[in-house]
Amino acid sequence: MENRRDDGVASEQTKEDQTHDLHSILSSSERDFLIRNNGDQVKFDSLKGKKVGLYFSASWCGPCQQFTPNLVEVYKEVSSKGDFEIVFVSADEDEEAFKGYFSKMPWLAIPFSDSKTRDHLDELFKVMGIPYLVIIDESGKVSTDEGVEIIREYGVDAYPFSSERVKELKDQEEAARREQSLKSILVSRERDFVISADGKEVSVSELEGKTVGLYFSVSSYKKCLTFTPKLIEVYEELKLKGEKFEVVMLPLDDDEESFKQAFEKMPWFSLPLKDKSCVKLARYFELSSLPSLVIIGPDGKTLRADVVETVEEHGTLAYPFTPEKFAELEEIEKAKREAQTLESILVSKDLDFVIGKDGLKVPVSDLVGKTILIYFSAHWCPPCRAFLPKLVEAYQQIKAKDDAFEVIFISSDKDQASFEDFFSTMPWLALPFGDERKESLSRTFKVRGIPMLVALDPKGRTVTTEARELVMYHGADAYPFTKERLKEIEAQQEEMAKGWPEKVKAAVHVHELVLTRRERYFCDGCEEQGQVWSFYCRKCDFDLHPKCALEEAKGTKGDTEEVGEGKKGEEGWVCDGEVCTKA
């Protein structure tokens, strides 16, 4: 991952107070030149009167490899003005790696051999992570040390990369949102048209007065491949009805051939591949996932930021995507939730079963009347593997008390072998691997990350989509996962703390500790996990499990009743240790 800086105060002091003589900081006693990637030496006089970007980067750094092509594109356009240059400051430790990486750069560099100057620049500009770009103006003053962020967000439009220019761009964006029209969105200085699959140019003005869906997509991305046919179906149905609806695709593809093959099958318009407006509009609409369908109303204003899920669920019923229509859809959803049964979500045509061990088919009808947990998980997901033992323990304890309970595993594994390997460690049922019902279940319960645990009551209605947290905090005690049960647990926890002091003084910490509700924490005394109650120092973020705190307060160890915890990355995903979410 990209390293981030956390030295805001020092950074502000650098920008406001320091002026640098480029010759002094970039040269050495043995060297009075910079180099190009062909070995040419360039005198420092060439930097006079120019804005200079110091680019701290390395070949081994993934975010650097991703950012450098963007910087090259911006540099090529800006350097033609004659008043801007970049100097590469390498963090490579191998000269061949440096040469290979520098060969892709059209700007200057500190020679690899001069590690002393490179180290000094790291220290001078407090480089805590790469890629990192410092922009120094003509007077030697630092304009910004956030060049990477600025260029990622605004590209060449940010020139001359000063804070004033960034503020101006932000103000322009705010004004553009207030005065938004279809032309302000889709027309650029170079282009006032969109294109059809046969290459025909169509004026943006011909789309005005219509409801327009801006379809952000990567043609080869699996979710886009799944959604595009559904959108085509909706588009063609609305066209047959004579509705004034259009779609304009904003392709984010890298590969031209893949884009062409996909676009020729689509009945709508597109911006040209690699048109700068595609990335600009992805930022403008704060795109967070793909595919994404932004709806622009007939007046040119944004009606809805993303309707992909709505189109998947409701099809043409979602048109014309107005607030009134979404209110209607919410009533439909509410009625659907109230009428939900186990069969309505788990039976699809002849798919009316789940499987047990050895592939044994278990009819869904056999599960009616039971409390069910729908378990979305995968073998490749570390948080899923970490959570599984806790769920198995809770399952076995609940089943021992009430047989009218079951768990159904819904796999996100990539192949049959991985599914079978993971399922073999589970004592419950599953949907067969690759079963088409997985997609509808994921939509119904809006699965954004795994592991996810959905609780259904004996009538098949949704009790909670956050049963994972309940099992983590309360184990089998959370059963049957209802609000009423949670209120009972809350009352038990309040009863647990009766008689405990509100504050204690422990020898292991300098400050007084306050009895505090804490969902989960690690005790700084025994180093074991605790939950619900902690004697806590907010100032120091210091926790003591009540058992440890009360023992400390009494001056005893080991003979106090235990209290406090109750009386008893795969492609397309990002894992943070707690949950794996769709990228």
Side-chain angles (χ1 to χ4, degrees):
M1 290 183 64
E2 175 185 358
N3 293 318
R4 308 296 299 170
R5 305 182 70 233
D6 192 24
D7 59 342
V9 174
S11 178
E12 287 302 313
Q13 290 174 341
T14 298
K15 285 188 280 188
E16 294 179 0
D17 302 333
Q18 294 189 17
T19 300
H20 303 281
D21 177 69
L22 288 175
H23 187 281
S24 297
I25 65 172
L26 299 180
S27 65
S28 68
S29 57
E30 294 83 22
R31 175 184 54 80
D32 63 351
F33 59 87
L34 298 166
I35 60 170
R36 293 199 180 278
N37 57 24
N38 61 2
D40 287 352
Q41 297 180 359
V42 179
K43 295 293 184 180
F44 286 99
D45 287 347
S46 67
L47 301 181
K48 284 184 179 179
K50 292 185 178 182
K51 290 169 277 290
V52 175
L54 300 182
Y55 181 41
F56 298 83
S57 185
S59 64
W60 48 260
C61 164
C64 299
Q65 292 277 5
Q66 293 172 353
F67 177 70
T68 296
N70 296 342
L71 186 57
V72 168
E73 184 178 347
V74 169
Y75 174 82
K76 286 180 177 177
E77 189 163 343
V78 172
S79 62
S80 62
K81 300 177 185 292
D83 64 350
F84 181 68
E85 189 53 82
I86 292 177
V87 178
F88 171 38
V89 185
S90 175
D92 282 298
E93 296 182 359
D94 176 78
E95 187 168 7
E96 288 305 311
F98 163 81
K99 287 180 179 178
Y101 191 35
F102 185 36
S103 69
K104 304 172 185 177
M105 301 176 181
W107 45 71
L108 307 176
I110 303 288
F112 178 81
S113 58
D114 192 353
S115 59
K116 185 176 180 180
T117 298
R118 291 188 285 120
D119 291 344
H120 173 67
L121 290 168
D122 282 350
E123 183 178 347
L124 179 63
F125 292 101
K126 299 178 172 61
V127 179
M128 304 300 292
I130 55 174
Y132 184 55
L133 180 62
V134 179
I135 306 293
I136 299 174
D137 68 17
E138 296 89 340
S139 69
K141 186 176 180 180
V142 174
S143 297
T144 181
D145 60 358
E146 298 178 349
V148 171
E149 291 78 7
I150 290 171
I151 286 175
R152 276 181 178 154
E153 191 159 356
Y154 298 106
V156 72
D157 289 342
Y159 180 81
F161 314 114
S162 62
S163 56
E164 292 78 14
R165 177 56 180 161
V166 172
K167 183 181 184 304
E168 183 182 345
L169 290 170
K170 290 183 182 297
D171 290 344
Q172 288 176 3
E173 283 190 346
E174 287 304 311
R177 284 188 172 89
R178 291 192 300 270
E179 302 163 12
Q180 179 179 299
S181 68
L182 195 63
K183 282 188 175 179
S184 74
I185 295 170
L186 292 179
V187 173
S188 66
R189 285 176 295 184
E190 300 81 16
R191 175 190 45 73
D192 62 357
F193 58 85
V194 293
I195 59 173
S196 59
D198 60 6
K200 180 183 177 183
E201 295 180 0
V202 177
S203 173
V204 171
S205 61
E206 292 188 27
L207 307 181
E208 291 184 301
K210 297 182 178 182
T211 299
V212 176
L214 303 180
Y215 182 36
F216 294 88
S217 174
V218 173
S219 59
S220 59
Y221 182 46
K222 183 178 179 181
K223 289 200 69 177
C224 298
L225 289 169
T226 301
F227 177 69
T228 296
K230 179 66 176 179
L231 183 57
I232 290 175
E233 178 186 328
V234 168
Y235 176 86
E236 292 180 338
E237 280 188 43
L238 291 174
K239 283 293 189 180
L240 283 174
K241 293 179 180 179
E243 301 290 358
K244 293 183 177 181
F245 178 62
E246 277 301 344
V247 171
V248 176
M249 186 164 67
L250 287 83
L252 299 171
D253 297 67
D254 289 324
D255 182 63
E256 186 170 356
E257 191 58 35
S258 297
F259 165 73
K260 285 181 177 179
Q261 290 178 3
F263 185 37
E264 65 185 14
K265 301 172 186 175
M266 298 177 186
W268 48 64
F269 302 112
S270 177
L271 292 191
L273 182 64
K274 298 185 180 178
D275 188 292
K276 293 179 181 178
S277 292
C278 295
V279 173
K280 185 177 180 180
L281 289 171
R283 183 183 73 244
Y284 178 83
F285 289 109
E286 299 177 349
L287 193 70
S288 60
S289 63
L290 287 176
S292 185
L293 185 63
V294 179
I295 301 298
I296 307 299
D299 61 355
K301 307 299 182 187
T302 303
L303 272 178
R304 205 78 182 181
D306 187 12
V307 297
V308 166
E309 284 188 5
T310 308
V311 169
E312 286 178 330
E313 189 68 25
H314 298 284
T316 56
L317 285 178
Y319 185 80
F321 310 104
T322 58
E324 295 77 16
K325 176 56 70 172
F326 273 83
E328 291 177 22
L329 295 178
E330 178 53 37
E331 288 301 313
I332 293 172
E333 288 287 340
K334 183 179 178 182
K336 187 176 178 181
R337 287 193 295 270
E338 291 173 352
Q340 179 178 295
T341 65
L342 196 63
E343 290 102 324
S344 72
I345 61 171
L346 277 181
V347 175
S348 177
K349 300 175 184 176
D350 59 342
L351 296 173
D352 59 355
F353 61 89
V354 293
I355 59 172
K357 301 305 175 185
D358 300 321
L360 179 68
K361 292 183 178 180
V362 178
V364 171
S365 58
D366 287 0
L367 304 176
V368 173
K370 295 186 177 186
T371 296
I372 303 292
L373 289 180
I374 307 291
Y375 177 43
F376 297 88
S377 186
H379 183 271
W380 53 260
C381 164
C384 296
R385 296 197 300 271
F387 174 63
L388 180 59
K390 184 76 174 178
L391 182 57
V392 169
E393 179 184 10
Y395 174 83
Q396 291 170 338
Q397 291 175 2
I398 295 168
K399 288 286 279 187
K401 297 177 182 178
D402 186 357
D403 193 52
F405 168 70
E406 196 52 77
V407 174
I408 301 172
F409 168 44
I410 313 296
S411 174
S412 289
D413 284 301
K414 303 303 180 184
D415 55 67
Q416 182 78 33
S418 297
F419 162 76
E420 291 176 356
D421 185 39
F422 202 32
F423 184 40
S424 70
T425 65
M426 303 174 188
W428 44 69
L429 307 174
L431 216 60
F433 178 75
D435 194 292
E436 66 185 42
R437 289 172 287 177
K438 174 182 179 291
E439 288 301 322
S440 64
L441 287 166
S442 296
R443 286 199 304 273
T444 296
F445 298 115
K446 294 178 170 55
V447 178
R448 294 288 177 276
I450 55 175
M452 181 173 172
L453 202 59
V454 177
L456 308 178
D457 69 15
K459 293 183 178 180
R461 293 174 301 197
T462 303
V463 176
T464 179
T465 58
E466 298 179 353
R468 178 208 176 192
E469 288 72 17
L470 301 183
V471 170
M472 287 294 294
Y473 299 153
H474 309 299
D477 288 343
Y479 181 76
F481 315 104
T482 60
K483 291 180 180 178
E484 293 74 21
R485 177 55 188 152
L486 294 182
K487 288 179 181 178
E488 291 175 4
I489 292 173
E490 180 85 11
Q492 291 171 2
Q493 292 170 349
E494 290 296 329
E495 184 69 25
M496 179 197 308
K498 282 185 177 179
W500 292 352
E502 290 187 10
K503 298 179 180 180
V504 298
K505 191 74 179 73
V508 294
H509 191 67
V510 65
H511 300 123
E512 197 169 41
L513 303 175
V514 180
L515 183 61
T516 307
R517 273 190 170 277
R518 301 271 282 162
E519 285 189 345
R520 279 186 294 171
Y521 62 89
F522 280 93
C523 175
D524 290 293
C526 65
E527 298 184 352
E528 294 181 0
Q529 184 171 297
Q531 61 187 55
V532 184
W533 293 109
S534 166
F535 281 95
Y536 182 57
C537 174
R538 185 178 300 278
K539 182 177 181 180
C540 304
D541 192 28
F542 182 92
D543 287 281
L544 273 190
H545 191 284
K547 177 187 65 156
C548 299
L550 296 177
E551 286 177 349
E552 284 281 351
K554 292 177 182 178
T556 62
K557 277 287 182 185
D559 57 355
T560 304
E561 180 184 0
E562 185 167 334
V563 291
E565 291 191 52
K567 293 185 177 180
K568 36 143 208 128
E570 282 282 330
E571 183 183 356
W573 296 76
V574 177
C575 299
D576 65 5
E578 285 292 319
V579 67
C580 290
T581 54
K582 294 179 179 178

